[in-house]
Amino acid sequence: MKRRPDHDFEAILDAVDMAVIVLKVGDDGVPRYVGMNERSREITKLPKHGWHGKTALEIFGGTIGERALALHMGVVQSKQEATYEIDVPAVLKTRHIRTTMKPMFDAAGNVTHIVGSSADITSERERDAALELTKIAKEKAEEANQAKERFLANMSHEIRTPMNGILGICEMLRETALNDEQTLFADTIFNSTNALLDVINEVLDFSQITANKVSLYYEPFSLRSLISDIAILLSAKTAYKGLGLHVHYDDDVPSDFVGDASKIRQILLNLVGNAIKFTDAGHISISVSYDQSAPAGALKLDVSDTGCGISPDQIGQVFSAFEQADSTPSARSEGTGLGLAISLAFVERMGGDLTVQSVQGQGATFTVSLDLELQASADSSPIKARSLDQSATPSLSTPAHIAPAETAGILAQGMKILVAEDNMTNQLVVGKMLQNSGAEISYAKNGALAVKAFENAEYDLILMDLSMPVMGGLEATKIIRRYEETTGRTKCKILAVTANTQKSDAKACRAVGMDGFLAKPFRKKELWACLGA
């Protein structure tokens, strides 16, 4: 029996992989369904029969049917192809269908049929929604990171400002005539405040690491001098515990490298400090070796101790944040547990490696492996701190090179210094620290008053706080620099003396024309160094 033509038509439509519909425009100008393949019926959940010769409104009804019929009529009337999307309710989730309707014409140019092709874009919509959610989540995470950075910067400022007062007044107190008990109390305050400052520095360093904002600043430096400085700095601690401190740096090992000296200094201070903390008898040793033929890690820095060592079950955790090899309360009270995590992050940022070998009860050896460039010409002079205008970042204990007090005192004779500082305690600290310098000290409690004072008198040096009411130090400096350009006055030296110690703060200081950066809390000798710099 010969198949009917409409059966052949249906078979052809069913062979098409995508959803296809065909509508015929009646004499009344209304399009009605005359063809719908199996894929289209799957999407619309329509039966095989019962829809032929009906309009979209008659088939679907309601808002969906009205909208579909209006779209079909629009194609007939405009004689233009149209694409639209509809949402088809389903049991588990709404399905999103995109349909393109294309008109077909007779010889007279009248629309006789509309052929539509549909695609299920539910997955596409879900993907777009997922991407949008991911974008929103990323933006929220970035906002959270920025909020954390602002919080840390604010907390740094809020903590460092009173700490500057504590350390400054304590230092002045220690210079007065004290009996033994009073000296003990003053020393305890001073040492405890410095210990708190170390904790704050570690937390800020760790926050920069987690935010992936650790920057390296390469410059020539003497590794031999750097290690010698560290040994001298920590010798008092080892002597107090009755420990030996040995440095093994052979003459044939290079001294002069190019790298981030401040980061290497911090790494070694962390490692040696940890060794001292966990060693009660014996010695600490720092050994340097260099093998230019090594495929990686030509420079090796070993820090060894004869302390308690690390148990096998803990050795894999020593570089984790907030973890310590010795979990006893006495050990935990001596630090944050961030030192090794920070050291590892710095070493890895420099492309090196930090490893540990230990036998419990027999000490431990931490090895830093680095590939540092050798200096083109040897210069074993001691490391000097770079000034701010040479793109240095602020050190939390700047400056490293201190002018002798007597030299600074001679240079300060007759100097006119303006201290722009809103905190009365810090005004007192600076005044007391400089009272024997021979300089004339004036004060301004905000940036606006500092600008006014500068316009009314000439100063040799302005110690400018950044965070002040009415007008901050950055804005005040910009106004002062513009005033100098306009009037032709000799440029005044302006140093930021601030508790804002983020790298962005140093960058902002450079941008407005400041000449240096002294981070709070600072020592008297560091402030005096600014007079002779």
Side-chain angles (χ1 to χ4, degrees), residues 62 104 151 171 188 191 194 221 257 299 313 331 398 403 420 424 486 519:
M104 298 184 67
F151 171 78
E171 189 171 12
T188 301
N191 293 332
N194 276 309
F221 74 101
F257 294 91
L299 176 64
D313 60 324
T398 51
M424 297 300 293
T486 303

Side-chain angles (χ1 to χ4, degrees), residues 25-330:
V25 181
D27 294 337
D28 56 0
V30 178
R32 292 175 173 82
Y33 284 86
V34 294
M36 184 183 300
N37 69 352
E38 184 177 358
R39 179 60 181 148
S40 181
R41 295 194 299 273
E42 288 176 358
I43 292 176
T44 57
K45 304 299 181 184
L46 291 177
K48 188 172 183 179
H49 305 288
W51 46 265
H52 194 278
K54 294 182 179 179
T55 65
L57 179 60
E58 292 171 328
I59 294 173
F60 299 106
T63 304
I64 294 177
E66 289 177 354
R67 180 170 180 251
L69 178 58
L71 290 166
H72 296 165
M73 293 297 297
V75 173
V76 174
Q77 293 166 5
S78 68
K79 299 183 180 182
Q80 298 290 326
E81 180 180 309
T83 298
Y84 60 90
E85 296 178 7
I86 61 171
D87 297 333
V88 180
V91 176
L92 297 178
K93 62 181 178 180
T94 299
R95 305 181 74 180
H96 308 286
I97 309 301
R98 179 184 292 139
T99 301
T100 298
M101 307 297 294
K102 187 173 183 179
M104 298 184 67
F105 306 93
D106 60 14
N110 299 313
V111 179
T112 60
H113 293 80
I114 300 175
V115 178
S117 57
S118 301
D120 188 339
I121 60 170
T122 304
S123 297
E124 181 180 329
R125 284 277 193 91
E126 290 174 343
R127 185 189 69 245
D128 291 344
L131 289 173
E132 183 63 25
L133 288 174
T134 301
K135 179 183 177 182
I136 293 172
K138 182 180 178 181
E139 290 174 351
K140 292 294 183 184
E142 289 175 351
E143 289 176 5
N145 273 336
Q146 291 172 0
K148 183 179 73 172
E149 287 180 37
R150 289 194 297 270
F151 171 78
L152 288 169
N154 290 337
M155 287 304 297
S156 172
H157 178 269
E158 294 303 321
I159 293 173
R160 289 174 184 280
T161 297
M163 283 181 68
N164 189 62
I166 296 170
L167 280 173
I169 294 297
C170 186
E171 189 171 12
M172 297 298 100
L173 178 63
R174 294 167 77 197
E175 292 181 357
T176 63
L178 302 174
N179 61 36
D180 291 344
E181 185 177 40
Q182 291 169 335
T183 300
L184 175 62
F185 292 162
D187 288 345
T188 301
I189 295 171
F190 189 79
N191 293 332
S192 297
T193 308
N194 276 309
L196 178 58
L197 180 61
D198 289 339
V199 172
I200 294 169
N201 290 343
E202 285 193 345
V203 171
L204 292 174
D205 283 338
F206 188 70
S207 70
Q208 287 184 331
I209 290 167
T210 55
N212 196 27
K213 293 200 171 183
V214 175
S215 299
L216 299 179
Y217 297 87
Y218 290 95
E219 63 180 357
F221 74 101
S222 168
L223 180 62
R224 193 182 299 273
S225 295
L226 186 150
I227 291 177
S228 176
D229 290 345
I230 290 173
I232 293 171
L233 180 65
L234 297 178
S235 59
K237 286 188 175 182
T238 54
Y240 177 77
K241 295 187 71 172
L243 304 173
L245 179 57
H246 310 307
V247 175
H248 304 286
Y249 203 132
D250 293 338
D251 293 338
D252 60 347
V253 176
S255 297
D256 304 292
F257 294 91
V258 177
D260 192 321
S262 65
K263 293 290 190 300
I264 295 172
R265 178 188 296 271
Q266 187 170 348
I267 291 165
L268 290 175
L269 283 172
N270 282 338
L271 296 180
V272 179
N274 266 1
I276 296 171
K277 182 193 304 183
F278 296 113
T279 304
D280 293 324
H283 64 270
I284 315 296
S285 65
I286 307 171
S287 303
V288 183
S289 61
Y290 187 80
D291 182 3
Q292 196 166 12
S293 64
L299 176 64
K300 294 193 183 299
L301 310 172
D302 293 321
V303 176
S304 303
D305 63 69
T306 57
C308 61
I310 307 169
S311 65
D313 60 324
Q314 290 180 318
I315 199 165
Q317 302 174 12
V318 294
F319 295 113
S320 300
F322 307 106
E323 292 289 342
Q324 292 186 344
D326 185 351
S327 60
T328 60
S330 61

Side-chain angles (χ1 to χ4, degrees), residues 403-482:
E406 58 273 16
T407 302
I410 293 171
L411 293 173
Q413 290 290 335
M415 282 184 68
K416 293 187 65 176
I417 300 175
L418 176 62
V419 180
E421 169 66 68
D422 63 301
N423 186 282
M424 297 300 293
T425 301
N426 284 323
Q427 284 189 14
L428 174 63
V429 167
V430 174
K432 290 294 184 181
M433 286 183 173
L434 296 178
Q435 67 180 357
N436 296 322
S437 66
E440 179 184 335
I441 313 297
S442 301
Y443 300 93
K445 62 182 180 181
N446 60 58
L449 292 176
V451 171
K452 186 175 181 180
F454 174 80
E455 291 175 348
N456 293 331
E458 292 194 16
Y459 291 92
D460 301 296
L461 172 66
I462 300 177
L463 301 176
M464 184 78 76
D465 189 21
L466 296 190
S467 299
M468 293 182 288
V470 183
M471 181 186 292
L474 296 176
E475 182 63 25
T477 302
K478 285 195 289 187
I479 294 174
I480 289 171
R481 291 307 186 211
R482 283 200 299 266

